[in-house]
Amino acid sequence: MVTRSASPELPGLEPAGPRLLLAVARLPGGATAFLADLKRWSRSATGRAAGLFAVVAGAYVVGAELAWHDFSSGLAFGYPPSGVDVAVLLLVAWSRWPVVIAAMVVSETAVDLQHHLTLAVALTVALANAVEPVAGASSVRWFCGGRRPDLGTRVGLGWFVLGAAVLGPVVGGLIGATASWASSGGWWPGLLLQWWAGDGIAVLVIGGTILLWAQRRALVSSRWFGLMLVVLLTAGLSFVAFRFDDPSSLLFLPILAWAAFRLRDLGVVLAGAAFAVVANYMTAAGYGEFADLGLSSPASVAVTQAYIAAVVLICWVLAQEVAGRTSAVQDRDSARQERAMAEARREAAELGAVLADAAMVRSVADQVSAAVRARLDAAQVVISVLAADGRRFEPLLGGDGAAQMTVDSAAPGPSAVRDRAPVYLSDAGIESVAALPLLTEVGALGYLGVWWAGPHEATAVEREYLRSTRGSRHWPTSPGCSPRR
């Protein structure tokens, strides 16, 4: 881990050593004041920049060390920091790029010096690894009109692949391959291909994962178990396939297809990242079909990277197609639902126009009963109104036992009147009930009860119809319209 030798001064404190800070913390209230100052500093522009530097540097060092330990080379294929860097640059504002670039250069130089590269080579490699994500992210931003790419669309994915996974690694590879050739020799075109293939796949599966993770936070929170499961299954099957040359490698494609249908593009890219890690490691270790092609180890891994990129991109596009078709179906269903809701409101409005001409409440009840039974295919409709004392219910239609019900009853109708809210009950295999308060400008008039002979789950359209039917404009409240048996 790389740390900076000088830390920012805390507000209100003179530059001092640890003993002075300790003395301040020991004073009454000193610890609280110190923590408060530290919290304010962390929220300042300097504090946020320091936090960003620390996060990028930490992720960079971890990825670089993994590359060294796995492939024994600082110029390894499948270089994880390449994906992290370009994703961070695409996620943060232009003004914060210098902090990210500084973290890249410091971290890469420190890691390479630790592994005994010369200072000149370490600085050259750091330059290559800084130029690469800058070129890639700048290209993508330019292609997308200064905005972050939407990886959920084919156009956004295409610009991301072209700019971040192709152009950026090529630019960095020109510098990195030259540095490697100058320090240890080798075939320069092969070194360039090795750099481009490794960094390109890292950008695709690691950078793509980070960007999609930021765009799919709702999916992550709702499908975290499925995302974790697909990563574990992919890694396990990939390891078995490479280690034992087992045909279970064929299961990788069904897993990716399942991820595309269930977990969208994020699941596909996570599965691709797990496969890339295992495939790179096992191929470099001499396992798998790509290691038996008679090619050098760098060439074998480069072929593996090309295969991984092709599979991931195909499934990524498949995931986009699935998401597009699903969205189209949802839009069509939503439009059909809205039309049905509008039709229900229209029918309720027409019923209201008819009720406006009714001479008596009993006439209102008869027409409402006929309309509701026909519209909802109900077995029985009960309408009860509050008696003059406001404590009992008198039946207008059906429900002979309604006269014994009081507002304190636990039955659905009284409950609806007390709470001014509909009540929906379903007893499987017996009957279903909907009870709605009949509301007027002056309060609840009574309730409308609907019975179905068997289990019935009221749909959104039916609920909208009932809600519109129980509205105040449908129920006359003038003295000439008092309840009559």
Side-chain angles (χ1 to χ4, degrees):
M1 178 67 70
V2 180
T3 58
R4 291 187 289 180
S5 58
S7 59
E9 297 178 11
L10 296 175
L13 294 179
E14 295 295 329
R19 286 184 296 179
L20 180 55
L21 292 177
L22 182 60
V24 172
R26 286 177 176 174
L27 292 175
T32 303
F34 174 77
L35 293 176
D37 289 340
L38 185 61
K39 186 176 181 179
R40 283 194 296 270
W41 173 81
S42 65
R43 293 178 178 178
S44 64
T46 303
R48 290 196 299 269
L52 178 62
F53 183 97
V55 170
V56 174
Y60 197 107
V61 168
V62 171
E65 287 294 339
L66 286 175
W68 270 100
H69 287 294
D70 289 343
F71 303 108
S72 301
S73 170
L75 304 176
F77 9 65
Y79 199 56
S82 302
V84 175
D85 297 341
V86 73
V88 172
L89 289 179
L90 287 172
L91 288 173
V92 302
W94 292 97
S95 59
R96 308 185 76 182
W97 279 30
V99 177
V100 179
I101 295 171
M104 298 177 197
V105 173
V106 171
S107 302
E108 181 64 45
T109 303
V111 170
D112 289 344
L113 291 178
Q114 180 185 348
H115 289 276
H116 310 296
L117 294 183
T118 64
L119 179 60
V121 172
L123 290 175
T124 305
V125 173
L127 175 64
N129 282 314
V131 170
E132 174 185 312
V134 170
S138 299
S139 300
V140 174
R141 286 280 184 97
W142 186 75
F143 293 149
C144 297
R147 296 185 300 272
R148 185 188 309 167
D150 182 5
L151 299 186
T153 64
R154 293 183 183 178
V155 174
L157 175 60
W159 289 136
F160 174 73
V161 171
L162 177 60
V166 176
L167 296 180
V170 167
V171 172
L174 292 173
I175 303 173
T178 301
S180 179
W181 174 79
S183 62
S184 56
W187 188 46
W188 187 85
L191 295 173
L192 175 60
L193 176 63
Q194 173 184 327
W195 184 294
W196 172 75
D199 285 19
I201 194 63
V203 169
L204 185 64
V205 299
I206 297 178
T209 298
I210 295 174
L211 290 174
L212 284 175
W213 195 280
Q215 294 178 3
R216 306 278 186 263
R217 293 180 181 177
L219 177 65
V220 172
S221 60
S222 62
R223 299 288 183 87
W224 64 269
F225 180 76
L227 294 170
M228 180 178 64
L229 181 62
V230 77
V231 170
L232 294 177
L233 285 176
T234 302
L237 289 174
S238 301
F239 177 82
V240 172
F242 276 89
R243 179 62 180 84
F244 302 103
D245 292 327
D246 191 88
S248 61
S249 59
L250 297 176
L251 294 177
F252 176 60
L253 292 179
I255 289 176
L256 278 180
W258 175 78
F261 279 93
R262 296 292 299 169
L263 304 173
R264 302 180 60 183
D265 43 13
L266 178 58
V268 170
V269 179
L270 278 173
F275 179 67
V277 171
V278 175
N280 284 340
Y281 182 86
M282 299 302 287
T283 301
Y287 297 103
E289 296 179 356
F290 295 109
D292 299 330
L293 297 177
L295 304 174
S296 63
S297 180
S300 297
V301 177
V303 173
T304 306
Q305 308 291 15
Y307 171 73
I308 296 170
V311 171
V312 171
L313 284 175
I314 290 173
C315 290
W316 199 332
V317 174
L318 172 63
Q320 291 180 342
E321 183 68 18
V322 170
R325 291 182 180 272
T326 302
S327 178
V329 171
Q330 291 175 346
D331 290 343
R332 185 170 63 249
D333 291 344
S334 177
R336 185 183 298 116
Q337 178 86 349
E338 184 57 36
R339 288 195 299 270
M341 299 279 274
E343 178 69 14
R345 288 190 289 269
R346 184 188 64 79
E347 291 183 12
E350 291 178 353
L351 178 61
V354 173
L355 297 180
D357 297 330
M360 296 183 303
V361 173
R362 182 54 186 254
S363 176
V364 171
D366 290 339
Q367 295 186 54
V368 169
S369 174
V372 171
R373 290 182 64 181
R375 182 67 172 77
L376 304 181
D377 193 24
Q380 183 182 9
V381 173
V382 172
I383 301 176
S384 294
V385 296
L386 282 169
D389 59 8
R391 297 290 303 170
R392 295 176 297 106
F393 291 97
E394 297 182 352
L396 281 179
L397 184 76
D400 293 336
Q404 284 72 42
M405 286 190 189
T406 65
V407 293
D408 297 327
S409 171
S415 298
V417 172
R418 287 197 308 270
D419 299 335
R420 304 293 195 271
V423 175
Y424 298 95
L425 299 175
S426 178
D427 297 326
I430 304 177
E431 63 180 12
S432 299
V433 180
L436 301 98
L438 300 176
L439 303 178
T440 68
E441 293 87 347
V442 296
L445 173 68
Y447 68 85
L448 169 68
V450 184
W451 268 258
W452 289 271
H456 180 87
E457 184 68 28
T459 66
V461 175
E462 291 175 343
R463 295 185 182 216
E464 178 66 17
Y465 175 77
L466 289 172
R467 185 195 66 79
S468 301
T469 301
R470 70 188 177 96
S472 60
R473 66 178 183 275
H474 301 155
W475 298 95
T477 58
S478 63
C481 294
S482 59
R484 297 182 184 178
R485 294 289 181 99

